[in-house]
Amino acid sequence: MSKLKVVSEKSLTNNSRVVGLLAQLEKISTEPTESDTARYVTSKILHLAQSQEKIRREMTAKGSTGMEVLLSTLENTKDLQTTLNILSILVELVSAGGGRRASFLVAKGGSQILLQLLMNASKESPPNEELMVQIHSILAKIGPKDKKFGVKARINGTLNITLNLVKQNLQNHRLVLPCLQLLRVYSANSVNSVSLGKNGVVELMFKTIGPFSKKNSGLMKVALDTLAALLKSKTNARRAVDRGYVQVLLTIYVDWHRHDNRHRNMLIRKGILQSLKSVTNIKLGRKAFIDANGMKILYNTSQECLAVRTLDPLVNISSLIMRKCFPKNRLPLPTIKSSFHFQLPVIPMTGPVAQLYSLPPEVDDVVDESDDNDDIDLEAENETENEDDLDQNFKNDDIETDINKLKPQQEPGRTIEELKMYEHLFPELVDDFQDYDLISKEPKPLVFEGKVRGPIVVPTAGEEAAGNSGNFRKGVVMKENVSPLGDEGDKKPSFMDLAKEDIKDNDRTLQQPLAPGFTAGMRKDYSLPLTVVTCSKACPHVAACGNVLFEGRTVQLGKLCCTGVEIEDDEDTESASSVEQVSVEVSDGPTLHDSDLYIEIVKNTKSVPEYSEVAYPDYFGHIPPPFKEPILERPYGVQRTKIAQDIERLIHQSDIIDRVVYDLDNPNYIIPEEGDILKFNSKFESGNLRKVIQIRKNEYDLILNSDINSNHYHQWFYFEVSGMRPGVAYRFNIINCEKSNSQFNYGMQPLMYSVQEALNARPWWTRVGTDICYYKNHFSRSSVAAGGQKGKSYYTITFTVNFPHKDDVCYFAYHYPYTYSTLQMHLQKLESAHNPQQIYFRRDVLCETLSGNSCPLVTITAMPESNYYEHICQFRNRPYVFLSARVHPGETNASWVMKGTLEYLMSNSPTAQSLRECYIFKIVPMLNPDGVINGNHRCSLSGEDLNRQWQSPNPDLHPTIYHAKGLLQYLAAVKRLPLVYCDYHGHSRKKNVFMYGCSIKETVWHTNNNASSCDVVEDVGYRTLPKILSHIAPAFCMSSCSFVVEKSKESTARVVVWREIGVQRSYTMESTLCGCDQGKYKGLQIGTRELEEMGAKFCVGLLRLKRLTSPLEYSLPSSLLDFENDLIESSCKVTSPTTYVLDEDEPRFLEEVDYSAESNDELDIELAESADYETSTQEEVLSDSDSSRTYLP
């Protein structure tokens, strides 16, 4: 205790001493005659500051006046030694305290005083060397902490003082070093950089740097850092190019590379590369780099550095420079417009489609437009200090700030008379059910909504199976038959009527399809059906090979292997039983897949290319594999290895085969006959692959087709490969992707379906591929073709695959395919299998699409208990839930989630029955049939993103949106506003499943306008459903949800239904394309089982929502809802801001790749995050390494 007391007394003594000295200094600083005393006092303070950290803390502590006293004395004293003492004290204070103390000195006005001191000191001839060293040293430390430092330095005229000092003292390294450090700080300001360049700073730097030397390496390092900063100015970069300095830099780099055997001067070598990186930001610099053989030099040196891990920064910067200087090429296509053309009924006057139709043919030519102007440098003329005035707080300009626009305003939009056209789609509001065979004819007490009711009695499958097939559809299905089978639909009981099986009342909610041949009671049959069925519609496009299934309009399966299928006869029993076991685990209802029915439906599906083939995966069907598929951990450095291989194409051009092996644009191309060349095909529903070029023996460049009536949106792919050999690593490069980042960089794998595996009882899509990455490539397009955005580059998805079987037929896809014909098949099977006494099911046609396909509309609810008035009233008064999906064709996961929802709603479980009794579901399961059929990624045949057309849809160009919005407007007009609207989407750059909703309060909160936020009164019920889902759905992540309304999303379904229709709970539900990083599925890629489960859990969430929003909570048996009553807080107040997704959901890569030199990510504002991709539109910097983990060698 006494020891502590002594220590504290000593500290107090020292603190009191420095306080006393500072007080004494303050007193004498105003008296010039006291210079000796000032010297003594400042030397004592310096001694204390040098010896004790506590003194340094005391002098820079909040509320301390020590810094003001020192600066005041420095400003007023004429004594050199006193000045030097104070400067030394300041150096001590800022050197040990990090950035905080430097910022403290800046806040006290230190930079202005020191700059003035530098100005005054320079007037002496010659200036005092020690004084100059000290001033420059401390200014170099505090300059980066002063936002206005560049302006202050220029106004004080100190730029040339420092520059002249260096010119006059090149051999005085002690003085030159701090001067160069300060020049580097000056150069951070572009205007200063240009000004210094005019006075010869670039030439001066090249006098300072030189070839390998063991002396003055510290000076060399600082000079190179300064040069790299200076060359960021286009003016200085051009000056360096004009004087031949690019060649000089390369020569110096090679010299240091050769002599730095022990790698002790890695920072100097990095500095040279940083200077090359800066100078190659301009077109002249890139040309000079190529002319100086820079590609080969950096390629060879970087390959030699690969063996030493510590030299990774050199490899990465070299890679970036080479990629930037790789000559920009146009895609090897006749046009970047889609291969397919569809003539629109109406050509829009404005917008991307109007621009596309007015484009001249030469717009596909690539122009390197990275420089705005090579002759005029506006930097020097425009001296606005944009970088000095940056708001440190992030501000997203896309957030809607107008309160009046945010407030929901129910706008009818169309008159009641116009909306009457939708009456026939709501027969449930007027039907009296007098002609129906209902469950009960006995009158029962009327049970109003919200009143307590007893347990739900569900009839068994046996009770309803007898004799009901005759009136299966009586009054339940629309009057006009929408079955693609036409009149033959009722003649195929095997398709339409499935025997019901007793279904256990368990918690399983998913009903997965089984593969053909594996359903209970069916004979296993591995052979392909070759039944010939005639069809009157002829099709001119008939493939030359394949198993023909139809004559007339030929619809055929792709070819099988020539050598026969490898049937695993000895494992038949085991394989079948394993699949059956899997099916038992995931299914509690009838299979929804029927290969023969699928073929029948395909015949009536209208595509622009008039597809005549059926892909095997769509024919066989898919069941989830019985194993987990973890998120891929990729090896360290895979991206730079792939980039190096791309650069080899330029350096070793003779090694490149460059042979076209598939081409949609040239129907007469000759398919190579060599046995070791892969064969490709995409001429089937939802297929997308435009061209394939063989690059090396086992490497292929693949080019995707644009969306029809568009010249971009390349991301979705689905194609067939055959002719492979096992044990060979094939590399595929999809070279015309457009998004600036992808989950392929974070562990996602593409999907593959093997026909031989399917024939051997494994009919499933699996995640495959190694060495996967996604990066910017050297292909580009002109600014006109890119919609006015200059320098638009494409991105590459690259992956390597080893095929398991010889001469197999395999399919690759971006995500699990789900075609329009698959949807129609599933709806038909659901309709044929349901119990009409229990389930009210209707399948209507909402409208026809541009190409003449029907857009299905499904209505699901519970049948009334009887046709007595009370039960009919209860039936009609159920609130509506409106669901939609697949507005973006490439987001196939949305369809799998919707499949889970539909199957759950049609299941026989008590919770499903209870849910049907609570709500009437209106569902548009596919808002963009044409886009899905034709393999588009984002648009419909109109070439527009339909989820940006909800504000004012055109009935001729956007019929599905126009009529879906009309249904909602009709419900609003008849005062039957849906309780929930949800649009299912997929997300390509985030993990998990999450929701976007609409909130005025949270939107205003994100504008940092707290006053406005406090004035907003809002029901926070919009958070209830997401909160419920976060508790019951393992893939759902509440922290990824956002309820902010952005300007760029004002014409999306979610915002329009909220603002114009008045639905408070209007959502977009986004499902990842990759996998989960939280919950039960953490570390796993998502599959159809998990997606369908999410669709089912959404339904369970709606049931819970009903209990929370009803006047009195339903008294349901606790076993039906296995979660606690206090699941959701009684008041969901917004106590913290929503997690608003601004950046990637992954941390920066360790192996950083910088795209900023020719960034072109502005397209993300339009292409941004598929669906309601609610990421910020601010530029994303794509960096590359090894996911979020550190991988050690």
Side-chain angles (χ1 to χ4, degrees):
M1 199 65 170
S2 59
K3 187 176 179 181
L4 288 173
K5 190 175 181 181
V6 170
V7 171
S8 61
E9 284 179 356
K10 185 177 179 182
S11 301
L12 186 62
T13 303
N14 286 333
N15 290 354
S16 301
R17 188 175 177 190
V18 79
V19 169
L21 289 169
L22 286 168
Q24 190 177 353
L25 182 61
E26 184 178 18
K27 184 178 179 183
I28 62 176
S29 63
T30 55
E31 302 175 15
T33 55
E34 297 286 344
S35 57
D36 289 343
T37 311
R39 266 183 237 156
Y40 173 78
V41 172
T42 51
S43 66
K44 288 292 185 184
I45 296 173
L46 175 60
H47 175 72
L48 286 170
Q50 286 174 331
S51 59
Q52 295 187 39
E53 168 61 20
K54 289 182 180 179
I55 298 299
R56 295 193 287 271
R57 275 205 303 269
E58 169 81 12
M59 294 177 69
T60 55
K62 191 175 181 181
S64 170
T65 58
M67 193 67 81
E68 287 99 323
V69 173
L70 290 172
L71 291 174
S72 175
T73 306
L74 186 64
E75 197 173 13
N76 296 317
T77 186
K78 304 295 183 187
D79 182 63
L80 177 62
Q81 189 57 50
T82 302
T83 301
L84 290 172
N85 286 344
I86 294 174
L87 289 173
S88 297
I89 294 168
L90 294 177
V91 169
E92 286 293 330
L93 293 178
V94 299
S95 295
R100 189 193 67 80
R101 292 182 187 174
S103 300
F104 184 76
L105 179 53
V106 168
K108 299 296 182 182
S111 40
Q112 179 63 44
I113 292 169
L114 288 165
L115 286 167
Q116 188 61 48
L117 179 62
L118 174 58
M119 191 70 192
N120 296 336
S122 67
K123 294 175 182 175
E124 296 181 15
S125 186
N128 182 280
E129 180 182 323
E130 183 63 31
L131 184 59
M132 286 299 181
V133 169
Q134 294 278 31
I135 295 174
H136 280 86
S137 295
I138 194 162
L139 279 173
K141 284 184 169 66
I142 70 169
K145 298 297 179 182
D146 188 347
K147 288 195 299 181
K148 299 285 185 182
F149 187 76
V151 185
K152 292 174 183 175
R154 190 166 61 254
I155 292 173
N156 280 282
T158 58
L159 300 181
N160 289 331
I161 293 172
T162 304
L163 182 57
N164 290 330
L165 268 177
V166 177
K167 287 179 179 178
Q168 296 160 12
N169 299 275
L170 271 177
Q171 302 308 314
N172 185 347
H173 295 155
R174 181 172 180 270
L175 176 58
V176 168
L177 184 63
C179 290
L180 289 176
Q181 290 172 332
L182 186 55
L183 279 175
R184 182 176 59 190
V185 178
Y186 289 157
S187 304
N189 179 289
S190 60
V191 180
N192 288 352
S193 189
V194 173
S195 176
L196 288 166
K198 288 179 177 177
N199 290 317
V201 70
V202 176
E203 295 81 355
L204 183 63
M205 289 302 102
F206 277 94
K207 290 180 182 177
T208 311
I209 65 175
F212 178 77
S213 171
K214 292 184 178 180
K215 298 178 181 178
N216 306 315
S217 59
L219 185 68
M220 177 83 170
K221 168 69 176 63
V222 175
L224 285 165
D225 288 347
T226 306
L227 179 62
L230 287 162
L231 292 178
K232 288 180 180 177
S233 157
K234 291 178 183 176
T235 303
N236 292 339
R238 280 193 286 273
R239 184 174 282 109
V241 173
D242 292 342
R243 285 160 177 72
Y245 289 149
V246 174
Q247 176 72 66
V248 173
L249 283 169
L250 284 167
T251 305
I252 293 173
Y253 181 71
V254 170
D255 190 64
W256 280 88
H257 175 78
R258 286 176 180 165
H259 292 94
D260 187 24
N261 297 322
R262 297 188 179 182
H263 312 304
R264 292 177 176 173
N265 295 297
M266 195 267 284
L267 292 177
I268 290 177
R269 293 155 69 181
K270 183 179 177 183
I272 301 170
L273 291 176
Q274 292 284 11
S275 298
L276 280 168
K277 177 184 169 186
S278 295
V279 81
T280 50
N281 282 346
I282 64 168
K283 195 184 334 182
L284 283 174
R286 293 192 286 277
K287 184 177 183 302
F289 179 82
I290 294 288
D291 293 344
N293 203 23
M295 295 290 280
K296 194 165 188 178
I297 290 170
L298 288 197
Y299 176 79
N300 291 334
T301 53
S302 62
Q303 291 302 299
E304 291 170 12
C305 291
L306 284 175
V308 184
R309 189 69 174 266
T310 54
L311 299 182
D312 277 356
L314 305 184
V315 178
N316 293 336
I317 300 172
S318 296
S319 174
L320 173 66
I321 296 168
M322 288 187 285
R323 294 171 63 209
K324 191 174 21 169
C325 296
F326 201 120
K328 290 292 177 189
N329 295 329
R330 60 172 290 167
L331 288 168
L333 296 172
T335 171
I336 59 173
K337 297 175 187 174
S338 174
S339 298
F340 308 132
H341 176 71
F342 180 83
Q343 185 60 45
L344 295 175
V346 179
I347 305 299
M349 299 298 293
T350 58
V353 181
Q355 292 174 8
L356 186 75
Y357 273 79
S358 63
L359 285 179
E362 66 274 8
V363 297
D364 290 334
D365 292 338
V366 172
V367 182
D368 186 354
E369 300 174 351
S370 296
D371 302 318
D372 292 330
N373 196 311
D374 278 335
D375 303 316
I376 302 171
D377 198 325
L378 299 177
E379 295 167 297
E381 298 174 14
N382 181 8
E383 297 199 4
T384 56
E385 303 299 323
N386 292 330
E387 63 270 43
D388 291 332
D389 297 329
L390 285 175
D391 185 1
Q392 295 302 303
N393 295 320
F394 171 76
K395 183 179 178 182
N396 182 5
D397 292 331
D398 193 32
I399 296 179
E400 181 58 75
T401 55
D402 188 337
I403 292 287
N404 292 324
K405 284 188 177 181
L406 284 173
K407 289 180 179 175
Q409 299 167 348
Q410 279 186 253
E411 302 172 5
R414 291 152 73 179
T415 63
I416 296 294
E417 286 69 28
E418 288 180 286
L419 293 174
K420 280 185 178 178
M421 63 183 290
Y422 300 111
E423 275 183 348
H424 74 283
L425 296 175
F426 294 91
E428 65 272 10
L429 295 178
V430 295
D431 203 328
D432 59 9
F433 292 90
Q434 295 304 311
D435 298 328
Y436 286 73
D437 183 16
L438 298 176
I439 294 173
S440 172
K441 292 288 185 182
E442 296 299 322
K444 295 180 182 177
L446 177 60
V447 180
F448 289 105
E449 250 192 327
K451 287 196 174 181
V452 179
R453 66 179 355 186
I456 301 163
V457 179
V458 182
T460 64
E463 289 173 336
E464 44 92 350
N468 289 336
S469 58
N471 52 13
F472 233 39
R473 284 183 216 82
K474 187 174 182 182
V476 180
V477 185
M478 58 178 291
K479 292 179 182 178
E480 41 181 324
N481 191 348
V482 299
S483 167
L485 299 179
D487 295 334
E488 295 179 358
D490 293 332
K491 298 176 184 178
K492 290 191 177 287
S494 61
F495 294 160
M496 307 303 293
D497 299 326
L498 294 179
K500 305 281 189 301
E501 294 180 333
D502 288 340
I503 297 171
K504 295 180 181 179
D505 179 14
N506 55 26
D507 196 36
R508 305 300 297 179
T509 59
L510 300 184
Q511 301 174 354
Q512 298 284 359
L514 300 183
F518 301 129
T519 50
M522 291 182 66
R523 179 178 61 86
K524 273 195 305 160
D525 184 4
Y526 292 114
S527 63
L528 293 175
L530 299 176
T531 311
V532 176
V533 182
T534 58
C535 176
S536 58
K537 183 174 178 181
C539 175
H541 305 295
V542 179
C545 58
N547 298 305
V548 179
L549 299 179
F550 304 101
E551 293 176 351
R553 180 191 173 194
T554 306
V555 181
Q556 58 191 357
L557 288 168
K559 61 183 179 300
L560 271 183
C561 52
C562 303
T563 57
V565 180
E566 300 173 1
I567 301 299
E568 301 173 3
D569 293 324
D570 55 337
E571 298 177 6
D572 278 355
T573 306
E574 181 183 346
S575 300
S577 62
S578 66
V579 172
E580 286 166 7
Q581 184 179 353
V582 173
S583 68
V584 169
E585 289 179 1
V586 300
S587 177
D588 67 348
T591 174
L592 294 187
H593 192 84
D594 185 319
S595 300
D596 296 329
L597 176 58
Y598 185 83
I599 294 293
E600 288 288 333
I601 290 172
V602 167
K603 288 169 50 179
N604 294 277
T605 298
K606 302 178 180 69
S607 62
V608 172
E610 296 187 317
Y611 289 131
S612 57
E613 297 180 38
V614 174
Y616 276 107
D618 304 322
Y619 176 77
F620 286 141
H622 157 82
I623 64 172
F627 47 82
K628 295 179 180 178
E629 296 181 290
I631 290 173
L632 185 70
E633 295 187 8
R634 65 180 184 180
Y636 181 81
V638 62
Q639 177 161 303
R640 67 186 185 197
T641 302
K642 298 298 181 184
I643 292 167
Q645 291 170 3
D646 287 354
I647 291 164
E648 287 171 9
R649 299 188 190 190
L650 185 69
I651 298 173
H652 307 298
Q653 295 185 16
S654 59
D655 296 343
I656 303 304
I657 298 173
D658 199 29
R659 171 167 48 184
V660 176
V661 296
Y662 182 71
D663 191 356
L664 278 185
D665 296 294
N666 179 15
N668 300 318
Y669 79 96
I670 300 172
I671 301 174
E673 293 300 324
E674 291 92 327
D676 58 349
I677 295 179
L678 295 179
K679 297 172 180 59
F680 295 83
N681 181 32
S682 61
K683 298 172 185 174
F684 46 80
E685 186 176 347
S686 294
N688 190 318
L689 179 65
R690 180 171 187 169
K691 190 172 185 176
V692 181
I693 303 168
Q694 186 181 20
I695 300 299
R696 298 180 178 94
K697 183 178 179 182
N698 299 315
E699 180 179 353
Y700 297 83
D701 278 359
L702 282 61
I703 302 174
L704 304 180
N705 200 11
S706 302
D707 285 5
I708 293 175
N709 276 316
S710 166
N711 61 7
H712 51 205
Y713 301 114
H714 319 97
Q715 207 80 15
W716 166 257
F717 57 88
Y718 182 19
F719 58 88
E720 172 191 296
V721 180
S722 59
M724 67 284 292
R725 290 177 295 140
V728 175
Y730 292 94
R731 177 182 172 185
F732 298 103
N733 311 305
I734 299 174
I735 62 173
N736 64 330
C737 298
E738 289 176 296
K739 292 176 186 281
S740 64
N741 204 349
S742 167
Q743 283 289 328
F744 283 116
N745 271 336
Y746 302 90
M748 184 168 89
Q749 295 173 280
L751 286 146
M752 188 181 85
Y753 191 103
S754 162
V755 172
Q756 290 214 18
E757 288 290 299
L759 293 172
N760 287 313
R762 293 182 287 275
W764 47 64
W765 286 94
T766 55
R767 303 274 187 173
V768 298
T770 56
D771 293 346
I772 301 171
C773 56
Y774 186 96
Y775 58 89
K776 184 182 288 186
N777 60 36
H778 59 277
F779 292 103
S780 183
R781 55 195 160 152
S782 68
S783 62
V784 183
Q789 300 166 53
K790 61 174 185 158
K792 294 304 299 182
S793 292
Y794 289 107
Y795 292 78
T796 292
I797 300 170
T798 181
F799 57 93
T800 302
V801 174
N802 284 275
F803 294 98
H805 302 289
K806 181 182 179 183
D807 292 329
D808 195 0
V809 177
C810 292
Y811 292 78
F812 289 94
Y814 182 60
H815 198 67
Y816 300 92
Y818 192 103
T819 65
Y820 169 78
S821 298
T822 300
L823 171 68
Q824 293 285 42
M825 174 184 67
H826 286 166
L827 291 179
Q828 196 157 323
K829 299 293 280 186
L830 286 171
E831 179 180 349
S832 66
H834 84 284
N835 174 5
Q837 288 187 326
Q838 187 175 334
I839 302 174
Y840 180 98
F841 178 92
R842 284 179 54 90
R843 183 156 63 107
D844 295 288
V845 174
L846 174 65
C847 62
E848 279 203 345
T849 64
L850 290 178
S851 65
N853 292 294
S854 62
C855 179
L857 170 68
V858 174
T859 306
I860 301 174
T861 187
M863 290 293 278
E865 289 188 52
S866 74
N867 54 18
Y868 283 82
Y869 174 76
E870 295 84 352
H871 292 147
I872 300 299
C873 278
Q874 191 277 339
F875 175 89
R876 292 178 183 174
N877 287 323
R878 293 170 188 165
Y880 276 90
V881 170
F882 201 108
L883 305 177
S884 59
R886 206 69 184 283
V887 71
H888 295 140
E891 296 163 18
T892 57
N893 47 356
S895 281
W896 288 101
V897 176
M898 179 57 78
K899 178 175 181 282
T901 294
L902 287 168
E903 288 191 39
Y904 184 88
L905 289 175
M906 296 295 289
S907 69
N908 288 341
S909 72
T911 47
Q913 175 64 15
S914 179
L915 184 63
R916 291 190 294 267
E917 291 175 357
C918 289
Y919 299 110
I920 300 173
F921 288 87
K922 282 287 179 186
I923 302 173
V924 185
M926 193 171 282
L927 278 167
N928 191 352
D930 287 346
V932 171
I933 292 165
N934 292 286
N936 284 6
H937 175 65
R938 192 170 179 86
C939 299
S940 69
L941 294 186
S942 71
E944 296 167 293
D945 180 348
L946 291 182
N947 203 35
R948 296 297 184 276
Q949 310 305 323
W950 278 79
Q951 274 185 324
S952 51
N954 184 310
D956 297 317
L957 292 175
H958 325 119
T960 60
I961 304 303
Y962 180 83
H963 293 295
K965 185 178 181 181
L967 293 179
L968 288 157
Q969 289 171 323
Y970 177 82
L971 285 172
V974 299
K975 310 300 182 188
R976 296 299 304 273
L977 214 57
L979 180 69
V980 172
Y981 170 76
C982 190
D983 193 20
Y984 293 1
H985 283 260
H987 206 294
S988 70
R989 289 193 285 189
K990 292 195 66 193
K991 290 186 170 67
N992 310 311
V993 181
F994 51 94
M995 276 179 152
Y996 295 127
C998 301
S999 162
I1000 304 175
K1001 198 175 185 73
E1002 297 195 35
T1003 303
V1004 172
W1005 187 92
H1006 278 284
T1007 65
N1008 295 322
N1009 189 345
N1010 293 325
S1012 301
S1013 179
C1014 292
D1015 295 338
V1016 175
V1017 178
E1018 184 176 43
D1019 180 357
V1020 293
Y1022 61 87
R1023 276 180 161 260
T1024 311
L1025 183 57
K1027 188 74 174 174
I1028 292 170
L1029 292 176
S1030 70
H1031 282 76
I1032 65 173
F1036 195 89
C1037 178
M1038 186 68 189
S1039 64
S1040 293
C1041 296
S1042 173
F1043 304 93
V1044 173
V1045 179
E1046 294 165 298
K1047 295 174 186 174
S1048 62
K1049 306 297 189 297
E1050 287 181 346
S1051 55
T1052 61
R1054 166 178 62 97
V1055 177
V1056 170
V1057 172
W1058 170 70
R1059 181 180 292 161
E1060 292 184 23
I1061 310 296
V1063 178
Q1064 182 202 24
R1065 295 180 177 88
S1066 179
Y1067 305 104
T1068 296
M1069 187 163 74
E1070 302 274 4
S1071 300
T1072 180
L1073 290 164
C1074 177
C1076 298
D1077 59 11
Q1078 52 85 48
K1080 185 169 95 175
Y1081 302 132
K1082 182 177 182 179
L1084 298 178
Q1085 294 185 78
I1086 203 156
T1088 56
R1089 179 186 282 108
E1090 292 75 34
L1091 291 168
E1092 292 186 52
E1093 177 190 64
M1094 187 64 238
K1097 293 293 186 184
F1098 181 83
C1099 295
V1100 177
L1102 289 174
L1103 189 56
R1104 177 63 179 172
L1105 178 70
K1106 178 67 176 176
R1107 298 180 67 197
L1108 292 173
T1109 55
S1110 296
L1112 290 174
E1113 188 171 299
Y1114 282 101
S1115 177
L1116 295 176
S1118 59
S1119 60
L1120 299 185
L1121 295 167
D1122 191 22
F1123 41 92
E1124 299 299 324
N1125 281 331
D1126 58 351
L1127 183 71
I1128 308 300
E1129 294 79 10
S1130 57
S1131 109
C1132 295
K1133 293 180 181 176
V1134 183
T1135 55
S1136 61
T1138 316
T1139 300
Y1140 178 54
V1141 183
L1142 300 177
D1143 298 308
E1144 280 304 317
D1145 62 335
E1146 300 281 358
R1148 284 279 184 90
F1149 280 125
L1150 300 172
E1151 179 188 345
E1152 184 168 321
V1153 174
D1154 178 13
Y1155 288 119
S1156 59
E1158 49 177 7
S1159 177
N1160 65 352
D1161 296 339
E1162 299 90 345
L1163 183 64
D1164 283 354
I1165 295 173
E1166 181 180 344
L1167 288 182
E1169 279 316 284
S1170 166
D1172 269 344
Y1173 281 161
E1174 316 277 315
T1175 53
S1176 164
T1177 55
Q1178 73 179 91
E1179 177 178 319
E1180 294 182 44
V1181 178
L1182 173 58
S1183 48
D1184 168 54
S1185 173
D1186 307 302
S1187 178
S1188 57
R1189 306 170 180 82
T1190 305
Y1191 305 123
L1192 299 176

